[in-house]
Structure formats: C-alpha cells, structure tokens
Amino acid sequence: MKTISENRCFGGTQGVYSHDSAATNCEMTFGLFLPEEAKHIPVPVLWYLSGLTCTHENAMTKAGAQAWAAEYGVALVFPDTSPRGDGVANDEAYDLGQGAGFYVNATQDPWAPHFKMWDYVAEELPALLGDNFALDMERQAITGHSMGGHGALTLAMNLPGRFTSVSAFAPIANPTESDWGQKQFGAYLGSDRSTWAKHDATLLMREKGFDGPVLIDQGGSDNFLDLLKPEALAEAIMAKRQDGIFRMQQGYDHSYFFVSSFMEDHVSFHAEYLFA
C-alpha cells in the first residue's frame, strides 16, 4: 500500500492511498478519513460509495462529511467506483466501464478480468483496512449516492450482520427496470436476468429487507427520477414493514449540493447505531 497524501482535517487525517488489488487485477485508490480518536483506539467505520463518473475524490472533497464524522469519532472510507488503467476495459459512454462499476462482479468479456467491484468492496478493501489502520471492523455502516446508493443498499441486504445501518442519497433503486441497470447488468452479467436480482435494492427489499434501520433521501427536483425509480423502493419498504425512513426532499436535485445538505443527518443516523 502506498500513501498518496495525508492532510490534517477537523482534528483528524484525510488520507489517500493506493494498492495493488487482487480482486480487480489493477491498482486501486481509496480515501480514508480518520478522526482524532483513531490515534488512541480503533474507531467504527462508515463507508461512502460514490456514483457514476466519480472517483474516490468526489465525496471526499464535496460531501462535507469529515466535519460530522470528526464530531462523532467515526472513520469514513471513500472507495473508487471502478477499476482503472490503460489495460482496463472501457466504453465511450459515461455510464459503462471505468467510473461505472455498479458494484458487481462482472462475468462477461471484456469486463470480467477487472470489474470485480463487489469482491473489492465487500472483501478485499475491508481486510486491507482492518490490517493497516486503527479501525473497529466489527462496527460498520454504509451509505452512498446514486449508483453508490444502489451499491450500499445491495451490499447491506446481501451481507446480513455486516452493517449496523444503511442509508442512501438518491439511489438507483430498481435497476432491473431502468436503463441505469439493464444496460450495465446486461454488459457485466449477461442476459440471464436471474443473476441481476441480487443487485436490485427493490427486489431485495421485497424478498428479505435489511436487518437494521434504513434512511433514504431523494431530491424532489432530481432530473433523473425516471431512471432512479424511488417510488418502487418506497413501496417495497412499506410492504416489507421495514424499519426505515424515506424522505422526499422538495426542490433538491441530484448534485452534491443535495448530498451535502443532508450529510449531517446521515452521519448522525449511523453514529446512533454504530455506538449503540
């Protein structure tokens, strides 16, 4: 593992690190904020998964999360959204290939050799973090935005007991019924739709739900509402009688202005359960 940068931030440290990944077969970069408490004791972890076209850097610099994480003594992990590099498959479209990993393990060519983002986020990066930093990996929570909200919800529901809580900002909520999902799942996973179901938050909510509390914020003026399909997830939450809160935030769009406006709510939501 290589240290790219470390900056003093709200009494703690905002670091950026890279390492060779066995899961993605390339070098990966991630951001990690450690609050001051990490100098003395292992601290709980809040994952933030970013959306289409993003890297580890977008939320790290735009979401305003470090101030609230420092207040509660929580670490923040900012993974990248896909494998990258000259030898990694890509596409001219912004919503496929590099920057658009969708947090799945690709089985189809040319994506399969590198696009193993599920294994990377679920297994490899947690192990690396636990081995190298003062983190309490028994206390983890997860959130994300857009494609990252999709990833946060699907990881949480597929890994029972891993996360104390899950939240999302404007998640791609029903990708098997959306162009933001059907295109990518077809490319990465193939035409057998039965392999897509574990990556659809609405279908997972209907089938199994989450073994903890859920918080969803969706902007009412989001220009991607038809692609995100938040109403499908809201209906599934109600039908499952899930312990959850779904909030339609009127006037807000899909940008980081929206994310940063409600970041305090999400960090405090997770802190309540991480320290329960």
Side-chain angles (χ1 to χ4, degrees):
M1 192 178 66
K2 294 181 289 187
T3 299
I4 296 175
S5 63
E6 289 183 333
N7 298 95
R8 185 81 165 155
C9 182
F10 293 101
T13 302
Q14 176 62 65
V16 178
Y17 309 92
S18 67
H19 67 105
D20 292 329
S21 167
T24 63
N25 194 29
C26 66
E27 187 175 63
M28 295 294 290
T29 301
F30 66 92
L32 174 66
F33 171 73
L34 290 173
E36 188 172 15
E37 288 86 344
K39 297 175 182 177
H40 310 290
I41 58 171
V43 295
V45 179
L46 175 57
W47 293 78
Y48 183 100
L49 305 186
S50 289
L52 287 167
T53 75
C54 292
T55 69
H56 69 281
E57 190 173 18
N58 293 71
M60 192 179 81
T61 59
K62 295 180 180 179
Q66 292 93 336
W68 309 116
E71 180 174 327
Y72 290 103
V74 173
L76 295 170
V77 183
F78 304 99
D80 203 346
T81 56
S82 78
R84 299 180 191 272
D86 293 338
V88 177
N90 201 11
D91 191 271
E92 292 182 356
Y94 75 95
D95 58 355
L96 189 68
Q98 295 185 36
F102 263 76
Y103 305 101
V104 303
N105 283 340
T107 59
Q108 307 298 303
D109 290 331
W111 314 105
H114 298 284
F115 280 72
K116 305 290 187 184
M117 287 302 293
W118 182 275
D119 284 351
Y120 179 69
V121 174
E123 303 299 336
E124 184 177 25
L125 187 53
L128 181 77
L129 293 169
D131 287 344
N132 289 277
F133 299 98
L135 301 174
D136 183 352
M137 302 305 289
E138 296 300 314
R139 293 185 291 167
Q140 299 183 60
I142 191 165
T143 188
H145 173 232
S146 194
M147 179 185 72
H150 139 79
L153 289 165
T154 56
L155 281 157
M157 285 187 275
N158 278 299
L159 299 172
R162 173 76 64 90
F163 302 104
T164 61
S165 47
V166 60
S167 71
F169 301 86
I172 301 174
N174 194 193
T176 60
E177 300 298 329
S178 169
D179 287 344
W180 273 359
Q182 292 177 340
K183 172 184 178 179
Q184 294 81 4
F185 292 172
Y188 297 147
L189 303 175
S191 59
D192 182 359
R193 291 177 66 100
S194 67
T195 65
W196 301 5
K198 69 174 287 188
H199 300 291
D200 187 306
T202 295
L203 299 182
L204 289 168
M205 182 61 68
R206 290 172 183 165
E207 177 189 352
K208 61 178 66 176
F210 175 62
D211 56 350
V214 177
L215 171 62
I216 310 291
D217 272 317
Q218 171 63 61
S221 295
D222 193 318
N223 54 319
F224 299 116
L225 281 172
D226 290 344
L227 291 166
L228 300 172
K229 299 190 178 298
E231 67 282 355
L233 180 59
E235 291 168 2
I237 288 171
M238 290 296 293
K240 192 65 176 177
R241 299 182 182 178
Q242 170 71 42
D243 176 8
I245 301 169
F246 185 102
R247 307 191 300 190
M248 186 65 75
Q249 303 289 4
Q250 294 303 324
Y252 287 90
D253 58 20
H254 200 70
S255 70
Y256 267 91
F257 296 111
F258 158 64
V259 173
S260 60
S261 295
F262 299 100
M263 182 55 71
E264 179 186 5
D265 291 356
H266 284 245
V267 176
S268 63
F269 166 78
H270 290 296
E272 177 181 353
Y273 299 99
L274 286 168
F275 291 102

